[in-house]
Amino acid sequence: MTDWPVLRPKEGWHVLHLFYRAELGQWQTLTSEERLSAKTKLSALVQEVRSLPSTQILTFSMVSPKADIGFMLLTEDLHKANSIEKKLTLCLGADVLTPVFSFYSLTERSEYTTTEKDYAASLTAEKGLPPESFEFAQALAEFRQRMQKYLQDRLYPNMPDWPVFCFYPMTKRRDAAQNWYLLPFEKRKELMLGHGRIGRQYAGRVRQLITGSTGLDDGEWGISLFAHDIFEIKSIVYEMRFDPVSAQYADFGEFYVGLQLPLDDLFQRIQL
Ligand code: 76R
């Protein structure tokens, strides 16, 4: 196979969410050897994917019959993402996995994160630190380091192994009366600050990855949430509905809930 030059985004990774229905009728037409070989092929593929540089793949047993199997793939190379998706779809044999939903996005930085200028201003205004003081310089240096790690985590995240997973696409409204994109930057930033404040109350209970899909898929962001308890997912999404950013400006796509499971257990769970 030709090794194409790596299609690495200027920043961030490619993210593919893939949800499939398992066609058990079609599966049962295969002999037991064929089934075993098909499952071995998929396991080998997942293992191979996990050995690639800057690549992660998560496997899910989906909770409602909207879908049976889910994958979340993060990788640096669009050729790899493309070729892995084709292989995943066909691995168990033609017509065994029917795609029911997919979403392509990129990890991204936020345009609303606190800047060094914002932080410096808050050091003076809220903490009363004079800009020429040692404490000011020290606080700013710590901020720089923290932001560097934060940015790295947003663009090149280490995905959690938390069992409960929820995914949905989200779009910011562009109605005549409510158009997010016509709001001035400062207003959007202020609104996002309120959003972040609610989100941070769930630290340790909900991990989120927001990936950008404007121009890439039918939706503007992919929301991937992880928890140990599905109650926390329901709580955060409910609470955010009252936050002006979501209440006034957010539209949502379909929701998919899954459980993160190793492939062998996943096969058993969905009776393959
Ligand atoms: O990145 C950060 O942690 C800083 C603050 C922050 C930004 C910039 C943040 C915090 N989010 C940001 C951006 Mn979020 N987020 C969602 C949803 O269902 C809903 O109503 C909304 C779906 C959830 C549940 C959630 C959770 N966030 C965004 C964006 C991009 C907007 C843009 O660029 O215009 C979207 C679409 C979005 C949506 N958010 C957090 C969370 C949580 C849990 C946090 C706190 C993270 C933490 O500090 O641990």
Side-chain angles (χ1 to χ4, degrees):
M1 206 176 73
T2 319
D3 263 335
W4 293 90
V6 175
L7 292 178
R8 193 180 285 114
K10 184 171 164 189
E11 61 179 33
W13 279 336
H14 307 277
V15 182
L16 269 177
H17 289 81
L18 305 166
F19 302 118
Y20 299 90
R21 200 173 47 240
E23 305 295 349
L24 290 185
Q26 176 64 25
W27 183 246
Q28 276 150 15
T29 66
L30 304 180
T31 65
S32 56
E33 290 81 42
E34 284 170 331
R35 290 184 208 169
L36 183 64
S37 126
K39 287 191 281 185
T40 310
K41 230 165 109 181
L42 182 53
S43 303
L45 174 63
V46 166
Q47 222 170 28
E48 185 196 328
V49 169
R50 290 198 168 128
S51 72
L52 295 172
S54 303
T55 303
Q56 295 167 67
I57 187 166
L58 279 56
T59 55
F60 305 102
S61 171
M62 303 309 290
V63 164
S64 75
K66 278 181 191 174
D68 299 303
I69 297 190
F71 298 102
M72 182 174 176
L73 172 72
L74 300 95
T75 190
E76 61 178 351
D77 177 14
L78 188 51
H79 277 302
K80 287 265 161 36
N82 183 227
S83 112
I84 293 165
E85 180 269 306
K86 302 301 167 211
K87 287 183 189 166
L88 284 170
T89 303
L90 285 173
C91 225
L92 292 179
D95 302 327
V96 174
L97 293 186
T98 305
V100 290
F101 192 80
S102 66
F103 201 76
Y104 170 50
S105 52
L106 292 174
T107 57
E108 66 176 18
R109 65 172 76 214
S110 163
E111 61 188 300
Y112 306 114
T113 31
T114 313
T115 61
E116 205 169 304
K117 210 169 133 212
D118 296 335
Y119 190 71
S122 79
L123 283 177
T124 317
E126 289 159 29
K127 301 217 168 125
L129 293 180
E132 58 287 349
S133 68
F134 172 74
E135 287 81 1
F136 183 94
Q138 197 178 30
L140 213 57
E142 278 165 15
F143 172 81
R144 247 178 244 136
Q145 221 171 23
R146 202 163 60 237
M147 289 315 279
Q148 206 175 1
K149 177 173 180 335
Y150 162 81
L151 185 61
Q152 181 72 16
D153 286 347
R154 252 190 102 113
L155 291 174
Y156 309 104
N158 249 325
M159 298 310 291
D161 61 0
W162 296 14
V164 176
F165 165 75
C166 171
F167 173 80
Y168 52 98
M170 182 178 152
T171 298
K172 291 273 171 78
R173 209 162 283 163
R174 280 181 288 125
D175 289 350
Q178 268 148 331
N179 189 333
W180 175 257
Y181 295 92
L182 287 179
L183 295 179
F185 175 76
E186 284 311 323
K187 179 70 188 163
R188 283 182 279 130
K189 183 158 172 162
E190 181 195 317
L191 285 166
M192 286 307 294
L193 217 66
H195 164 86
R197 262 197 297 274
I198 296 182
R200 275 194 294 280
Q201 286 165 14
Y202 286 81
R205 291 181 287 150
V206 176
R207 289 272 302 268
Q208 110 281 23
L209 181 68
I210 309 298
T211 53
S213 45
T214 309
L216 310 182
D217 214 322
D218 312 329
E220 295 171 347
W221 288 278
I223 315 296
S224 303
L225 305 175
F226 294 84
H228 292 285
D229 180 349
I230 189 72
F231 180 88
E232 304 292 358
I233 304 269
K234 182 167 166 286
S235 302
I236 194 175
V237 176
Y238 181 69
E239 196 175 342
M240 282 194 172
R241 292 286 160 106
F242 293 96
D243 180 60
V245 178
S246 294
Q248 295 184 48
Y249 296 103
D251 287 312
F252 302 95
E254 278 186 62
F255 284 67
Y256 287 88
V257 171
L259 292 170
Q260 210 171 168
L261 276 188
L263 215 47
D264 281 344
D265 298 288
L266 206 163
F267 288 144
Q268 266 192 11
R269 183 68 56 90
I270 59 178
Q271 294 169 47
L272 285 183

